[in-house]
Amino acid sequence: MSGPVPPSPTGPPSEIDKLRRRVEALTGKRDEAEARLRTLLSSLLPLDDVLADTRRRAGALHENLSAREATSVAVALSEQIAAAHVMLRSEFARHDVSPMEGLGRPVDTAEMRVVGTQAHPSAPHGTVLKETVTGFRLGASTLRHAQVVIAVPGSAPVPAAEATSEPAAPEAPPAGGGRAQPRRTTRAQRQFPRKPSAGRRRRSRRT
């Protein structure tokens, strides 16, 4: 009759066991990252189809089209570009990528890079007036910083059309403070009509 089986000795894991567990964890993370990348790339394939068709339609604008056909192609291009942008933003949202909304907010230097300033009569100093590059977040972290133009105290810039239209300068008064005399014109400049009777009188005198 055999006796009881002695229990296997237990103790702390060896260095080989630790290394094996670490390799298994890294392999699992790699497989998960590859699966997410494959899913992302597969979801972008329909976007490539839309952009390829948009490129084909844009090439058609250089052909000999009538005005009506060119307008139809331009409208289709605008609709396809908008649809492609919506598709891209939807895929971003599925992967927890979201655009930053900075317009009208105080500048946040943790997420934004100031690339310019603009005088504004009422907006508080440091308010975001324009986004030259949209920023994006990946979850709670910053994926790409936004590039913004912020407000600074001052009056609003004058449009270029108004800045160039200056009123004509008045004529300088004559030296000595006298009244300005009207400009004299010659008879040729006045171009007065010639009286027909004058010609007849001259011809009658010669005869």
Side-chain angles (χ1 to χ4, degrees):
M1 183 175 180
S2 62
V5 178
S8 60
T10 59
S14 63
E15 292 298 327
I16 295 179
D17 293 334
K18 292 180 181 179
L19 182 60
R20 184 184 299 111
R21 293 175 184 176
R22 191 174 303 171
V23 170
E24 291 176 354
L26 292 176
T27 302
K29 290 182 179 179
R30 184 198 62 186
D31 295 341
E32 181 182 356
E34 289 181 354
R36 293 182 61 181
L37 178 60
R38 186 178 183 85
T39 302
L40 174 60
L41 295 177
S42 299
S43 63
L44 293 179
L45 293 179
L47 178 59
D48 182 79
D49 296 335
V50 175
L51 293 177
D53 187 63
T54 302
R55 184 177 181 180
R56 180 184 61 80
R57 291 176 182 268
L61 288 176
H62 300 284
E63 300 176 359
N64 296 326
L65 301 178
S66 63
R68 184 173 182 178
E69 291 173 337
T71 302
S72 178
V73 171
V75 171
L77 282 175
S78 178
E79 293 176 349
Q80 285 191 318
I81 292 173
H85 196 207
V86 171
M87 291 174 61
L88 183 60
R89 289 294 178 91
S90 298
E91 292 303 323
F92 281 165
R94 286 184 57 214
H95 292 83
D96 204 14
V97 176
S98 58
M100 299 177 184
E101 301 294 339
L103 290 179
R105 293 171 42 201
V107 62
D108 184 357
T109 55
E111 296 183 341
M112 306 174 187
R113 297 289 182 265
V114 178
V115 297
T117 59
Q118 181 177 328
H120 198 282
S122 59
H125 176 72
T127 302
V128 177
L129 299 179
K130 185 188 305 181
E131 289 181 342
T132 58
V133 175
T134 303
F136 286 90
R137 298 187 187 93
L138 176 58
S141 62
T142 300
L143 181 62
R144 184 178 73 179
H145 291 84
Q147 297 183 13
V148 298
V149 177
I150 62 173
V152 294
S155 58
V158 179
E162 297 181 7
T164 55
S165 58
E166 298 179 356
E171 295 183 359
R179 294 183 59 185
Q181 298 296 327
R183 177 181 294 180
R184 296 182 179 181
T185 57
T186 62
R187 182 181 181 86
Q189 291 175 337
R190 290 195 297 268
Q191 295 182 353
F192 290 149
R194 188 176 181 180
K195 295 181 180 181
S197 58
R200 288 195 297 270
R201 284 198 298 269
R202 292 193 186 94
R203 286 194 297 270
S204 62
R205 289 175 184 177
R206 291 175 182 175
T207 58

